[in-house]
Amino acid sequence: MCNAYGGRITLRPGTLYGALDRLSDDGLVAPDHEEVVDGRLRRYYRLTDEGLNVLGAESERMRRNLAAATARLKASGWAPAGGLA
């Protein structure tokens, strides 16, 4: 599975490669190039045009959700820690 450290998510290799396989099968990423680093093969991927479109749509969806959540918090009188507005 994945673990969160300091607000970041780290994936175990099996989880990461499974996700890359699914994204590749869905046409969202494609292999870009490979190189050998410290005797191990390293594969790089790139977003496809469809992947860029999906990422853009998901980013916009998340932006709208953030705006709605922030508006609800402000309406309830909530203020972020440290007094920042």
Side-chain angles (χ1 to χ4, degrees), residues 28-79:
L28 303 177
V29 300
D32 189 51
H33 66 280
E34 297 177 343
E35 67 182 6
V36 176
V37 177
D38 296 328
R40 298 182 66 177
L41 182 64
R42 183 175 288 178
R43 183 172 293 136
Y44 295 84
Y45 291 83
R46 64 173 176 75
L47 287 171
T48 61
D49 290 342
E50 179 64 16
L52 286 168
N53 290 334
V54 170
L55 178 60
E58 181 64 9
S59 176
E60 178 59 22
R61 183 191 69 79
M62 292 176 80
R63 188 200 60 75
R64 286 192 311 268
N65 285 344
L66 174 62
T70 300
R72 288 183 188 206
L73 286 169
K74 285 182 179 180
S76 73
W78 175 85

Side-chain angles (χ1 to χ4, degrees), residues 3-25:
N3 298 308
Y5 295 99
R8 299 181 65 105
I9 295 175
T10 57
L11 300 176
R12 293 183 179 162
T15 304
L16 175 60
Y17 293 122
L20 285 169
D21 285 343
R22 286 188 298 280
L23 290 167
S24 184
D25 289 347

